[in-house]
Amino acid sequence: MMDFLHLLNQYVWGTRADRKLIRLGSTVRKINAVEAAFQKLTNEELTAKTGEFRSRISAGETPDQLLPEAFAAVKNACRRLYGTKLTVCGIETVWDMIPYDVQILAGIVLHRSGIAEMATGEGKTLAAAMPLYLNALCGKGAHLVTVNDYLALRDSEWIGGIFRFLGMTVGCIQTGQSPEERKAAYACDITYGMNSEFGFDYLRDNGMAMSREEMVQRDLHFAIIDEIDSVLIDEARVPLIIAGEEEVALDHYDRYKDLIGKLTDAQKRRIDNYLHDAAELLGRNPASEEGIRLLFLARLGMPRYRPLHKILEDSNLRVQLDRFEDRMRQTLAATQFSELKTNLYFVVDEKYRQIEMTSRGLEFFEHLHEDFFILPDLEKQVTAIRADETVPDPEKKKQIENARSAYRCKVETIHDFQQLMQAYCLFEKDVHYIVDSGKILIVDEHTGRALPGRRFSDGLHQALEAKEDVRLESENITYASITQQNYFRLYKKLAGMTGTASTEASEFYQTYKLEVTPIPTNRPVHRLLHCDQVFRTRREKFHAIAEETARRFEAGQPVLLGTPSVEDSETISRILRMQKIPHQVLNAKQNRQEAEIVACAGQKGKITVATNMAGRGTDIRLGPGVVEMGGLFVIGSSRHEARRIDLQLQGRCARQGDPGEAAFYVSLEDEFMRVYGPENAVRILAVDEGSSVSSKRLDSIIEKAQKKLEIHHYAIRKRTLEYDDAMNKHRAVIYALRRRIICEDGAEKVLDEILLRRADFWIASLSPENSEAVSRDTLSAMIFDETGIRIPESEWTKEESDTAEVIAGYLKTRFPVPPDESDEPDGAQRKTMLNSLLLRTIERVWVNHLNAMELLMDNIYLVSYGQKDPLVEYRKEAYVLFEELMDSIDEGVVTALFRSGPLSAHSGISDGESHIVRKNLKK
Ligand code: ADP
Ligand code: MG
């Protein structure tokens, strides 16, 4: 074992982070000294430590004070287990790990609620054992969060041995487990599980459970998130949703599909002509202005069109085209530009994922569908109806209602049309989604993995289903939802580990207050990093990759080819097949044995093609003889938008001091280069006529573009979070209310409050100028309206308390089941009834609210046309909705209580198959 402390002494003049490591280094020495002393203990004496630590914590000692001893106990347990057999995921292995100093160091960082950045293969799994043990001593549980089920099971069985040896219990949450199994796993001292499982359990516990017994989680005390960047950054925007189906009109999609097909065909014909003419013109004169103009039109109309890219393989043309585009986009050329656009039916903006219909497109469509895009002026219509004196009032009401619904219908139609346009022009099969056994599966843009069960929102998914001719599925209705970000922020103490966090350090700090500490590697890194190879075309790039792979294959060196998309991995696989190079393909379509395949990627002569992060978390050990060949060779088939993802990929080689090599191949046609690409790179390349170029300068240009994009994406995530905040607060209030009913004060007390609040509401709705007598009459009528109960005159004249209390007090005596009539001495039945009534009502109203908020979110962008800040407007509207929500709960409870006839113990309890309120909740 290398002494990293020795290594650290060289850092005296280093950065802040280095100095921090030196400080932590003294704690590591202390832990090692304690561990040396523990070696003299018997097994029984060591395991007795757990009990001793627990009582010392109860007696007031803090986990911080116990850290050296607790960490030492774990290290010592590892030493005692050394050489013993254990079974991990069905495979028998031998325990061979005693934490290195760097792992102890990482453990300290984790305990202090930070992010330990530790390279792949450095042993994060073991490092987490120490802080898990220490924090579990408090008796409130400690969670280890992984990115998939397999890793949760593997790590709980692998590391679990230590905890059991020390007298702690270990549980593991897996998809598909019963509530009983989950509850048992959460009751353990330490619980492993996958990120979304934890989140879903939280939602079920707090949004759906009807009694304490149905809840499975305990407090959210301490969690360590493995691969934290994947969970909190890549998946930050993916909310966890518990949903059911709602019936919506799906016929729009099928109805307009053919029309859009015609429209896109017409555009394609046009562009084919342009390209044909352009080729001819440019063939005669390579600088033909008209030729370039036609190419530009083609790019505006179909930026992903293959024949266009074929022509643009000529770098000279590409440079001219870019110059032309620059010119067009200048404000001076605005009129010229918009005139140019009218040649097309629509213009596609890839970067902002927008499609702009031109006047030609509108005409084309209206020719088939008169007035299709014309929204009626609702306000004008309503005013006209109101002003019409020949129409009686009730009829007016009906007419206004009709006008409103016609308007809504039109808005929906246009919306569905726009979604279809997006589906046709911006979403590509096998890049953005795949079709698998009659279903559209989203492909995660970061990992290239299919995400079964997730759907694009807002009708886009249906649009894709229509486009691909698969069965349209109805839109989901949300019953409960939370983003992973917000779930994990609920923990009292949070920590994380990953190989790649530094590039996003400021986001981790600002959003989660988590500081990133890079941990030195146990042994020096021997990774040979090549400069990027930049090609003009994808074709040239892929062939160069295949050539390089073939060369390595002949020598027997294993190669791991990482691609950003399924499409790319299939292209590479096709070329390799043609060259008869045996290889494994691992992509979104078959992710089950992912881990096993990746684990073998370091064997002699193995060629593995995988989407970027497939098999993340799996250790790649080198096979015999591979070290001599230079270790694993990693090829990235393009640069990703985020450096982090590239670093993950290159981190797959050269683990634990192994040798390894990494190279990225880039072409100017790659999505990243094309859409965000630094045009300078293009210019540099235009000068050079070689088949590929690579230079440090080019590398830094690419990196700069990545950095810019990272900032851009962070801004988007931050914005999403700001929007999310409103929802998050509402959720907190409602879940707290549910908790009070289920676990704390009970239904009775909450009900009293509701009655009182409702009475206040009735009183407040009457204007204060009204005289006593009038207000009492109106008040009586109002109460009668909602409850069907008339408050007798005698009640009103009671003097001792205020009006609200009088009302609430009287209503309470009129419960369908008065307290004295309940059949059991402790009133258990009454309790169950009230519980169920309250929870059901909250659920119904809350689900409505969730969906109203979703609708608000979908439409809030409209206000930006009015030059208002959508976020400000959103908050305002959300606040109004929330106030309505609270009033609706009170109202709903009161009506349910007095209006739904006598209660029985079963009223309001659903048929047991699910807690979910059925469809048509939206009015
Ligand atoms: P990471 O999650 O950091 O990528 P893992 O926890 O998967 O790394 O561990 C990588 C490999 O290193 C595993 O094969 C493990 O057995 C080995 N390893 C980790 N820590 C030690 C140790 N202290 N002694 C020996 N082997 C270790
Ligand atoms: Mg790991």
Side-chain angles (χ1 to χ4, degrees), residues 902-919:
L903 290 173
S904 76
H906 300 288
S907 75
I909 297 172
S910 74
D911 43 22
E913 88 198 39
S914 102
H915 308 290
I916 288 170
V917 192
R918 306 259 136 54
K919 28 184 182 244

Side-chain angles (χ1 to χ4, degrees), residues 121 124-125 151 154-155 226-227 497 616-618:
K124 290 184 274 292
T125 325
L151 289 174
R154 183 198 74 176
D155 294 358
D226 192 7
E227 310 288 1
M497 47 196 198
R616 193 170 180 176
T618 311

Side-chain angles (χ1 to χ4, degrees), residues 1 82 96-100 103 118-127 154-155 158 226-227 497 522 617-621 655-656:
M1 193 193 306
Y82 202 89
D96 61 352
M97 302 193 289
I98 299 166
Y100 300 128
Q103 286 172 310
M118 251 177 125
T120 310
E122 283 294 303
K124 290 184 274 292
T125 325
L126 180 61
R154 183 198 74 176
D155 294 358
W158 189 21
D226 192 7
E227 310 288 1
M497 47 196 198
N522 189 44
T618 311
D619 197 24
I620 304 182
R621 286 174 193 249
R655 64 180 271 288
Q656 293 186 7

Side-chain angles (χ1 to χ4, degrees), residues 71 92 312 731 879:
F71 275 39
E92 193 156 289
L312 290 181
R731 190 191 308 104
Y879 185 71

